[in-house]
Amino acid sequence: MLQNPKNLKVINLRECTRLTALPNLLGSPNIEHMDLSGCESLVEIPQSFKNLDKLTYLDLSWCKRLE
């Protein structure tokens, strides 16, 4: 069953070592918790992150390629 991205509050992509990019999250303004730790191939965070006003937890540890 698919959920409405507006209702999305938690994203857990921990240890997704092949993840290189994140989608535009403008359609998910209620995200509160995001775990991206261990995403070694992630190279950038989209500009849409600045619009995630409810985001209170963001783990980017071990994201070695982020600039």
Side-chain angles (χ1 to χ4, degrees):
M1 179 158 94
L2 294 175
Q3 291 186 353
N4 185 338
K6 281 188 172 184
N7 297 329
L8 186 63
K9 292 187 177 188
V10 176
I11 294 178
N12 184 355
L13 296 172
R14 184 181 193 107
E15 303 294 329
C16 290
T17 58
R18 294 183 183 191
L19 180 71
T20 59
L22 294 170
N24 183 328
L25 297 170
L26 287 175
S28 303
N30 294 313
I31 294 174
E32 299 172 355
H33 181 106
M34 190 174 302
D35 188 348
L36 301 171
S37 63
C39 295
E40 298 173 353
S41 300
L42 186 63
V43 293
E44 75 177 321
I45 300 296
Q47 288 289 328
S48 60
F49 266 52
K50 66 182 176 186
N51 298 320
L52 298 177
D53 297 332
K54 296 182 180 179
L55 185 65
T56 57
Y57 178 86
L58 175 62
D59 189 347
L60 296 170
S61 60
W62 298 101
C63 295
K64 300 174 185 179
R65 295 188 181 179
L66 276 178
E67 294 184 15

